[in-house]
Amino acid sequence: RVVLITGGALGIGAARARRLARDGAHVVLAGRSVEEPSSRKLEGTLVGTARSIAAEGGVAFVRPLDVTDARAVRREVEAVAREHGGLDVLVNNASAVDPRRKPTQESIDRMHSTNARATLACNSAAAPHLSRSGGQILTFSPPLSGMEEWLSHMPAYAMSKYGMTMATLAFSSPSLRANTLWPRKTVRTAATRMLEDATGVPYHTKGRSADYFAEAARDLLLLPNATGRCFLDEDVLPHAEDDAPLDAFAK
């Protein structure tokens, strides 16, 4: 199976890539953080993730890609399908975050182009290949229920993430499974660290391991006939009570 993951330099994306590779998938990591992090606030690169996969005996490839460039997205998806003999799974992992209630216009534009717009571009480019292979789309974005609270708390970021969800559900069809997945409790990632720094809420300190979320994502991909749905990780992979992890919907 050929799996294309946007991003994957760190956090959930990297954990997800390693988990899929352990199952024997050929993982293609596409993003900007090829050999250097895309931001000085972040750590990790796509090359680093690929090396960790190779060290575990897996197969991984790295392709430079700016997901905000729709033409580049289409070009790279076509190249991946051509070079690897098709495409079976698209994982929309790349995301930008700014938790401020009133971020700058530049930050708003960055979130919407990286999140909602890029997800729509990736899904549009990959859909014909995925339909032919009986494949599926998995997007890391929140369920639409309860969005009113998040929209009032951090409207720009919430709109961009809910846009990712809608851009995914729209592609569900008899020949293409398309679902979203979101953590019930917070996960220790660069994004939750930024949220914690900005708000003082221990999103990162009290988060769960990214490996748990990656395992839930793997189980979701194996669910037969599941499509057009929004899942929380605990819906797919029950988790025993642990050290009081923070609710992902806490504010």
Side-chain angles (χ1 to χ4, degrees), residues 4 43 74 82 86 115 123 133 149 178 214 218 225 239:
L4 174 60
E43 300 175 356
R74 184 166 296 279
R82 182 176 62 252
N115 299 351
N123 291 348
S133 66
E149 294 184 9
R218 180 255 189 188
N225 305 317
H239 195 290

Side-chain angles (χ1 to χ4, degrees), residues 100-184:
R100 293 177 294 178
R101 177 169 175 74
K102 296 181 179 180
T104 64
Q105 187 60 50
E106 179 182 8
S107 183
I108 292 171
D109 292 343
R110 179 175 57 87
M111 285 189 287
H112 281 273
S113 61
T114 304
N115 299 351
R117 185 175 181 274
T119 298
L120 182 59
C122 289
N123 291 348
S124 298
H129 302 285
L130 296 171
S131 293
R132 283 194 292 271
S133 66
Q136 56 186 306
I137 297 168
L138 176 59
T139 299
F140 297 149
S141 59
L144 297 177
S145 59
M147 63 180 175
E148 295 84 0
E149 294 184 9
W150 276 101
L151 286 170
S152 65
H153 184 58
M154 47 183 76
Y157 175 60
M159 286 174 64
S160 71
K161 293 300 290 187
Y162 288 120
M164 293 176 70
T165 298
M166 290 185 280
T168 298
L169 299 180
F171 281 83
S172 173
S173 73
S175 62
L176 174 54
R177 287 186 285 161
N179 298 291
T180 70
L181 184 67
W182 195 245
R184 182 67 181 83

Side-chain angles (χ1 to χ4, degrees), residues 82-95:
R82 182 176 62 252
E83 295 173 14
H84 295 271
L87 182 62
D88 298 291
V89 178
L90 168 65
V91 178
N92 291 301
N93 167 76
S95 184

Side-chain angles (χ1 to χ4, degrees), residues 12 15-16 139-141 181-185 187 208-218 231-233 237:
I12 289 172
R16 182 80 197 94
T139 299
F140 297 149
S141 59
L181 184 67
W182 195 245
R184 182 67 181 83
K185 305 290 185 178
V187 180
R208 284 175 172 161
S209 165
D211 290 334
Y212 163 69
F213 189 80
E215 194 72 23
R218 180 255 189 188
F231 291 88
L232 295 176
D233 50 6
L237 183 64

